[in-house]
Amino acid sequence: MLKLNLKIALRNLWKNKLITTINVGGLAVALASFILIIMYANYETSFDKENPNYDNIYIVGITYPEFKTYYTAAPFAKAIEQNFPEVESVGIIKGSSFELAIKNGKNTLFTNNILQADYDAAKILNITPEGGLIKPTGDVERLSYLSKESMKTLFPDKKDNKPEMVGFGASNLGITGIIAGSIKKNLHSNFTFDGVSIANELGEGDNYDMNDFSIYLQVKPETNLAGLEQKITDLYRVELLKGKTGQQLIDEVKGISTFLDPLSNLHLKPKAGNNAPYKILIALSVLGILILVIASINFTNLSIAQATKRAKEVGIKKVLGAYRFQLTTQFLVEIFMQCFVATILALILAELVLPNFNNLFQTHLSIWRIDNDLSWQLPLILTVITVIAGIYPAMVLSGFKPAVVLKGNFSSSKQSYWLRNGLLVFQFSVAIVFIIGLFIINSQLKYMSKEDLGFTANEVVYIKNITIFNDPVKFEPVRERILRIPGIKSATVATFIPGGENGVNSYTANGLKANIDFVDVDFDYFKTLEIKLKEGRFFSNDFKTDTANAAVINESAVAKYGIKSPIGQIIRGCNIDYKIIGVIKDFKTQGFENAVQPTIYAIKDPCGGYKMQIMLKIEENKMAEALATLKAQWLEINPKDGEDFRYEFLDELYGKLFKKQEQLQSMFFAAALLTIFIAILGLFAFAKYITNGRIKEIAVRKILGAADVQILKLINRSFFIMVVLANIISWPVAYLLTKMWLGTFAYRIDLSLLPFVASAIITILLTVLTVTVQAAKAVKANPVDALKYE
């Protein structure tokens, strides 16, 4: 019976080659998209799952009135370990803040991220060097490891895992150290690094004013997390108030609390951080499911539309004794064969598209990995699609009554008619939502690219550097040497560059104490970035006090503290009474998604970071020559950085803030194209079926004098109504979704009617064109050919 069903299936599929091609092709394209998306979802939701303690690991975060952060004080780790028996282990880590050169003879490696971890943190986070995790003992303060790739760069011929002596920084500094061995660089982890430095303890001598570390806990299974969270908050408040008095301080500490964020949250939706990856994943998943649903709808629609051609076949088989179950099985086998072929084609298409997909989302996905979850997910998807797309058509076909169809009185039911039209409207509704979304995303990105940022990143070069220039006197000779090079207009150094994270500290002004951002700068910082002054003045060498207690604040800081006349006012922080000498206009240092934060800029800041980020403003037509000269003279200009001159363009670094939105744009562009393509395929086949079913009607109308245009108008009418209905349904949905998306931006466009009208025009034109092309053949046919058997 199975063999017979296969033969019949092949015969019917071959007989309807065009419909089969459309069905299989549309489904293959949709499945290829879904395969890529499900692989991406598997990848994004499995970060650090190799860790045996994955479900019991949490990071300690601090909630301030203005923000949340994962940065805490090192002493708090010991306090937690000593007070809570439900916590099995506590560890602390710290990332590096600058690029470090490591050398072995002529081989040089630039590391961007050396992770510092104490022994307990390495155990908790499953950071295990080759040969196992060893606890530093005796006189050995730290054990340093580099990734296998890094070790290969420094020691190309190395075959063992023995310790090696290397140089750090410029060759002329003579700083050396030992690399204890290699460590696996796990790209599928929240803790990526070029190397790891493991210590017995980190943060020795630190106090609760220095929030530089991240604390990780491994808790016992079945721990009451809400209760533990509250107890940690109570302990933190006690620690902050030790040795301190004053009702104002007590009230401030009451406004601070802690939270525990599970390891499973850190990659996609951290409580303190950007949850853009989670939004991208949800958007991708919804797109993938919708594309697959649309393809399945096509399948169902065309199978139902083909029902009348199979009516006599079903009637004869039933007369000869075939049961409904047998007929249902036969039709499901036909559908399964089409789905199976579509799956094979989908894998081929996915493999072809995968390099571009990996490049867009910065992943390393592979279809053919042994441990790939697709090995069980794909058969499941194939089965589900076969059932969803085939069960209703199979039931319709197998349910025909022999007496009716063999008399020639068969016609499709009103139920099937409404279902077909309803599914077609749904297809176009989804496609219209994608088109509108694409228009609005493009408009927002265009706005972001053209809107005034408040500063100029073009022609600014960021020089990577390991020398600390907190003292302006130390940077002045370097600055003078740099400015001698033709083409360089200005030079400055700061703790942070636009596009990166700023520091946060507590400042008091106008009787209000608040946590605001700080950036420690040097002279010409504002000039180099072309930041606009609102009132007052910038830092200047002409005023000696500027290096002692002068500060510049932005408009948001003025609003935050409610200062009416800021110039000359005092803002206190880090035990210094800063005098406000200028107010700058807000500039979008963190892009468009986050509102500009209240920020203070100062030259002297004992509580600040290291001023290492050198920025140069260089004339565009002299850029190449200036950079070449800098490279040749860098050893003389900045001896501690020596021969290791390297740079990046600030506009490219700042542009990384828009990466996620550009990914979303690419997703919607692909989704809009796919949904329109699949919907048009279905519309083409459906129009062919409708037209073929009305050939005799068309012939009679032509004989009675109807013009070709009138007949085309008649055929297009029902499809036109369905597309208009699809627009009416989809507009409110698209409006709500795009409004929610735009709500994630602090600076955004206003929704206009244009994308909605444009989507209607596009879908109506495509529908009319598709139906007209398909119907034109029937309209131009000779009426005699259609009526000669009547």
Side-chain angles (χ1 to χ4, degrees):
M1 180 61 73
L2 179 61
K3 187 176 180 182
L4 178 62
N5 282 338
L6 287 173
K7 283 185 177 180
I8 295 171
L10 288 170
R11 184 197 68 190
N12 284 315
L13 294 175
W14 183 253
K15 186 179 178 181
N16 301 287
K17 292 187 287 291
L18 179 61
I19 299 298
T20 301
T21 302
I22 290 173
N23 259 354
V24 172
L27 194 57
V29 170
L31 267 173
S33 306
F34 193 74
I35 287 169
L36 292 174
I37 289 168
I38 201 169
M39 287 172 61
Y40 181 74
N42 290 337
Y43 176 81
E44 290 289 280
T45 55
S46 57
F47 269 61
D48 287 308
K49 277 197 173 178
E50 294 177 0
N51 192 320
N53 303 306
Y54 177 80
D55 294 323
N56 298 315
I57 297 173
Y58 296 83
I59 184 173
V60 178
I62 309 295
T63 301
Y64 294 99
E66 299 89 357
F67 64 95
K68 291 183 176 181
T69 180
Y70 291 130
Y71 292 109
T72 52
F76 192 41
K78 280 188 178 180
I80 292 174
E81 191 171 31
Q82 292 168 359
N83 284 276
F84 305 117
E86 58 265 58
V87 177
E88 287 190 356
S89 185
V90 182
I92 59 176
I93 67 170
K94 183 180 181 180
S96 62
S97 57
F98 58 89
E99 188 176 83
L100 178 65
I102 303 178
K103 301 182 178 181
N104 173 42
K106 294 182 179 180
N107 299 325
T108 302
L109 170 75
F110 295 105
T111 60
N112 293 304
N113 185 13
I114 297 294
L115 183 69
Q116 301 176 59
D118 66 10
Y119 176 75
D120 289 326
K123 278 203 306 181
I124 292 171
L125 302 176
N126 200 30
I127 298 172
T128 308
E130 296 288 327
L133 180 62
I134 301 171
K135 187 173 184 178
T137 57
D139 296 329
V140 180
E141 185 182 356
R142 299 192 181 196
L143 293 174
S144 298
Y145 303 88
L146 290 177
S147 66
K148 285 184 177 181
E149 297 81 0
S150 299
M151 290 295 283
K152 192 72 176 174
T153 301
L154 289 174
F155 305 96
D157 302 321
K158 187 175 176 62
K159 303 296 182 184
D160 55 41
N161 197 39
K162 293 180 180 179
E164 298 284 355
M165 182 72 73
V166 295
F168 292 103
S171 302
N172 58 346
L173 295 178
I175 301 173
T176 59
I178 296 175
I179 301 298
S182 61
I183 188 169
K184 181 183 177 183
K185 185 178 182 179
N186 188 357
L187 296 174
H188 200 195
S189 170
N190 290 290
F191 311 99
T192 56
F193 43 75
D194 299 314
V196 179
S197 175
I198 298 174
N200 271 319
E201 287 187 40
L202 287 179
E204 302 97 317
D206 281 13
N207 56 48
Y208 280 88
D209 292 327
M210 303 173 72
N211 296 321
D212 296 331
F213 296 88
S214 296
I215 299 176
Y216 286 86
L217 313 179
Q218 182 181 328
V219 303
K220 295 178 180 177
E222 309 302 326
T223 296
N224 180 355
L225 290 173
L228 178 61
E229 208 168 45
Q230 184 58 52
K231 287 191 287 185
I232 291 176
T233 292
D234 294 339
L235 175 65
Y236 189 62
R237 290 170 179 170
V238 169
E239 292 291 319
L240 289 178
L241 291 172
K242 272 186 179 178
K244 298 177 181 177
T245 57
Q247 187 59 45
Q248 185 178 355
L249 180 60
I250 293 172
D251 292 339
E252 288 175 5
V253 169
K254 283 182 180 178
I256 301 172
S257 61
T258 66
F259 62 89
L260 298 178
D261 208 3
L263 182 59
S264 56
N265 274 7
L266 293 190
H267 178 64
L268 289 176
K269 45 180 181 178
K271 291 180 182 178
N274 190 350
N275 64 350
Y278 179 70
K279 293 176 183 176
I280 294 292
L281 178 60
I282 293 297
L284 261 179
S285 301
V286 171
L287 293 182
I289 291 169
L290 286 175
I291 290 169
L292 198 56
V293 167
I294 287 174
S296 299
I297 285 173
N298 253 8
F299 207 109
T300 304
N301 240 352
L302 295 180
S303 298
I304 295 172
Q306 289 289 97
T308 53
K309 292 185 177 182
R310 308 287 297 275
K312 289 184 179 179
E313 174 194 336
V314 172
I316 292 171
K317 284 183 175 179
K318 281 195 169 184
V319 169
L320 293 175
Y323 293 103
R324 186 170 186 179
F325 173 76
Q326 293 172 314
L327 294 170
T328 302
T329 303
Q330 176 194 323
F331 295 132
L332 283 176
V333 167
E334 290 182 21
I335 290 165
F336 176 79
M337 289 175 65
Q338 293 178 73
C339 291
F340 181 76
V341 173
T343 303
I344 301 301
L345 292 175
L347 285 169
I348 296 170
L349 284 173
E351 181 65 25
L352 293 173
V353 176
L354 192 57
N356 291 329
F357 187 88
N358 279 333
N359 183 56
L360 175 63
F361 290 98
Q362 300 297 300
T363 56
H364 302 83
L365 304 180
S366 174
I367 293 175
W368 310 111
R369 280 175 49 192
I370 297 174
D371 60 343
N372 201 329
D373 288 337
L374 278 177
S375 57
W376 65 268
Q377 289 172 338
L378 207 53
L380 179 62
I381 294 167
L382 176 59
T383 304
V384 170
I385 291 174
T386 301
V387 172
I388 291 175
I391 196 68
Y392 183 81
M395 295 301 290
V396 170
L397 288 166
S398 63
F400 294 153
K401 295 178 180 180
V404 176
V405 296
L406 292 178
K407 284 180 181 178
N409 297 326
F410 170 77
S411 64
S412 57
S413 67
K414 286 185 178 181
Q415 184 182 0
S416 294
Y417 171 82
W418 284 109
L419 179 63
R420 290 198 309 266
N421 290 350
L423 292 176
L424 199 61
V425 169
F426 177 79
Q427 277 184 301
F428 272 94
S429 296
V430 173
I432 291 163
V433 170
F434 286 152
I435 293 170
I436 293 171
L438 180 61
F439 275 123
I440 291 172
I441 290 170
N442 283 342
S443 297
Q444 175 65 16
L445 288 179
K446 188 176 181 181
Y447 162 78
M448 288 160 61
S449 65
K450 292 189 175 181
E451 180 69 6
D452 182 19
L453 300 174
F455 76 103
T456 303
N458 296 334
E459 301 181 4
V460 177
V461 177
Y462 158 54
I463 307 295
K464 296 180 178 182
N465 159 66
I466 63 170
T467 307
I468 299 169
F469 294 111
N470 281 25
D471 186 351
V473 175
K474 192 174 180 181
F475 183 66
E476 189 58 31
V478 174
R479 177 174 170 271
E480 288 178 359
R481 288 292 305 271
I482 290 174
L483 292 177
R484 291 177 197 166
I485 298 173
I488 299 180
K489 297 189 283 188
S490 64
T492 190
V493 65
T495 49
F496 309 102
I497 61 172
E501 292 184 359
N502 293 337
V504 178
N505 210 339
S506 180
Y507 293 86
T508 303
N510 199 28
L512 175 66
K513 186 175 183 180
N515 289 306
I516 64 172
D517 285 10
F518 71 82
V519 181
D520 303 336
V521 301
D522 201 82
F523 300 106
D524 287 351
Y525 174 83
F526 302 107
K527 177 183 175 183
T528 302
L529 295 176
E530 297 184 8
I531 295 169
K532 300 175 181 65
L533 182 69
K534 184 179 181 181
E535 57 180 305
R537 63 176 179 84
F538 293 139
F539 298 116
S540 171
N541 274 313
D542 297 333
F543 298 87
K544 301 299 182 184
T545 55
D546 280 7
T547 59
N549 67 340
V552 174
I553 61 175
N554 65 359
E555 291 174 301
S556 292
V558 173
K560 177 77 175 178
Y561 290 107
I563 308 173
K564 292 183 179 179
S565 301
I567 304 303
Q569 297 287 332
I570 299 298
I571 180 169
R572 182 172 179 79
C574 201
N575 298 319
I576 294 178
D577 286 333
Y578 289 102
K579 183 179 179 181
I580 300 172
I581 63 168
V583 176
I584 60 168
K585 291 187 176 181
D586 285 343
F587 67 99
K588 299 177 180 66
T589 181
Q590 296 297 324
F592 286 74
E593 292 182 67
N594 302 307
V596 175
Q597 296 300 305
T599 309
I600 180 172
Y601 301 84
I603 292 179
K604 181 181 180 181
D605 184 3
C607 299
Y610 298 130
K611 282 195 272 189
M612 301 170 62
Q613 320 298 335
I614 297 175
M615 288 174 281
L616 312 178
K617 186 76 170 179
I618 305 177
E619 293 177 28
E620 189 173 3
N621 59 351
K622 296 182 180 179
M623 183 72 71
E625 296 87 342
L627 290 173
T629 305
L630 279 167
K631 182 176 176 63
Q633 298 180 7
W634 195 243
L635 181 59
E636 299 174 16
I637 295 172
N638 190 10
K640 284 191 176 180
D641 225 23
E643 67 276 14
D644 302 320
F645 178 76
R646 58 244 183 255
Y647 63 89
E648 287 188 62
F649 293 104
L650 188 61
D651 55 352
E652 293 179 1
L653 288 171
Y654 187 78
K656 291 178 181 178
L657 292 175
F658 308 122
K659 185 67 177 176
K660 290 296 178 185
Q661 304 308 329
E662 289 169 355
Q663 288 177 348
L664 191 63
Q665 181 190 36
S666 300
M667 285 161 39
F668 261 80
F669 180 73
L673 285 182
L674 284 175
T675 50
I676 283 291
F677 172 72
I678 294 170
I680 292 299
L681 274 182
L683 180 65
F684 179 83
F686 194 43
K688 178 181 175 64
Y689 162 75
I690 294 294
T691 305
N692 289 343
R694 301 179 71 176
I695 285 178
K696 291 178 182 179
E697 177 192 343
I698 293 169
V700 171
R701 287 180 181 275
K702 288 190 72 173
I703 289 172
L704 295 175
D708 289 356
V709 174
Q710 290 175 310
I711 297 172
L712 288 172
K713 183 180 177 182
L714 177 70
I715 296 172
N716 271 292
R717 184 172 177 275
S718 61
F719 292 101
F720 176 82
I721 291 171
M722 283 189 281
V723 174
V724 170
L725 182 59
N727 275 277
I728 293 171
I729 293 170
S730 61
W731 281 19
V733 176
Y735 175 81
L736 291 173
L737 292 175
T738 52
K739 191 172 180 63
M740 285 171 59
W741 177 72
L742 286 173
T744 63
F745 292 89
Y747 309 98
R748 55 186 177 269
I749 59 170
D750 294 322
L751 276 174
S752 69
L753 193 60
L754 183 61
F756 298 87
V757 174
S759 69
I761 293 171
I762 290 171
T763 50
I764 289 171
L765 286 177
L766 285 174
T767 299
V768 171
L769 182 63
T770 303
V771 175
T772 300
V773 168
Q774 181 56 54
K777 185 179 178 182
V779 171
K780 292 179 180 179
N782 191 338
V784 175
D785 294 332
L787 299 173
K788 62 184 177 181
Y789 295 111
E790 296 298 321

